[in-house]
Amino acid sequence: LLLGAAVVMLALALRERLRVRRMVRARVAVRQALINLQPLRVAASEPGLLDAPDQAEGWLLVTEHGWCTELNDGARALLGLPEFLTLASTRKLADLFVNGASETASMLAQLRAEGVLAERLLQPARLPQSVIRVAGVSLPDRHGKVTGALLLIRRSLATRTAA
């Protein structure tokens, strides 16, 4: 019985260590992606997410196949996702938006082709009455192959004034 409890404690400690390691890797990827965004400049009435990534209210990390692997609390709130969503409950990006399958295919294709996702307006599937702005940048591995993307999100101007 004591040996079983020790094994369970060891497994929990290992799981927590792996979770922390993934979070550190994700933070490094996010930081690098934001550094890469700095030279982009596009004229707009409201600064675009790629012009001012620090104005993003949330971010998502997705794989090249469209699986959402990390998100912050801001993204969780804007998408209407429950707080218990963790890495263990990874979900497809297509499930997060109205018309998600076509939107996701279009976003991933643009990220693969151009390395940058132009800002677009989308409706979260769980909050279809709201509109969010989504933009992103691809995350290549050291050989240049796109392995994922960082998506920045915030409320659209129309949603902010209506709220």
Side-chain angles (χ1 to χ4, degrees):
L1 185 64
L2 189 59
L3 182 61
V7 169
V8 169
M9 292 291 288
L10 182 61
L12 290 173
L14 180 61
R15 186 175 84 181
E16 180 64 17
R17 188 169 186 197
L18 289 173
R19 186 187 69 79
V20 168
R21 181 181 281 170
R22 279 190 214 120
M23 287 179 60
V24 167
R25 242 186 270 140
R27 285 192 180 118
V28 169
V30 168
R31 189 174 303 123
Q32 186 60 44
L34 291 176
I35 289 168
N36 291 341
L37 285 176
Q38 295 307 319
L40 296 174
R41 296 286 174 240
V42 177
S45 59
E46 182 180 4
L49 285 169
L50 297 179
D51 282 333
D54 58 322
Q55 292 184 10
E57 296 175 49
W59 55 262
L60 297 158
L61 281 177
V62 297
T63 67
E64 74 270 24
H65 302 294
W67 287 99
C68 177
T69 59
E70 292 280 341
L71 71 161
N72 69 353
D73 290 335
R76 189 175 275 121
L78 288 172
L79 295 169
L81 298 174
E83 289 189 23
F84 59 82
L85 181 72
T86 63
L87 278 178
S89 53
T90 302
R91 61 176 61 225
K92 281 291 240 181
L93 187 60
D95 297 339
L96 300 178
F97 302 108
V98 173
N99 299 325
S102 61
E103 288 290 350
T104 299
S106 170
M107 289 190 299
L108 294 174
Q110 185 178 1
L111 281 163
R112 272 190 227 90
E114 301 172 21
V116 175
L117 175 64
E119 196 165 303
R120 57 180 71 197
L121 297 176
L122 298 173
Q123 293 175 286
R126 290 180 177 250
L127 300 171
Q129 72 281 5
S130 66
V131 178
I132 59 173
R133 297 167 64 188
V134 179
V137 62
S138 63
L139 299 172
D141 63 11
R142 66 183 109 160
H143 304 293
K145 180 183 179 279
V146 174
T147 58
L150 168 69
L151 301 179
L152 302 172
I153 61 174
R154 74 172 172 204
R155 288 180 199 94
S156 73
L157 185 60
T159 307
R160 271 194 241 147
T161 58

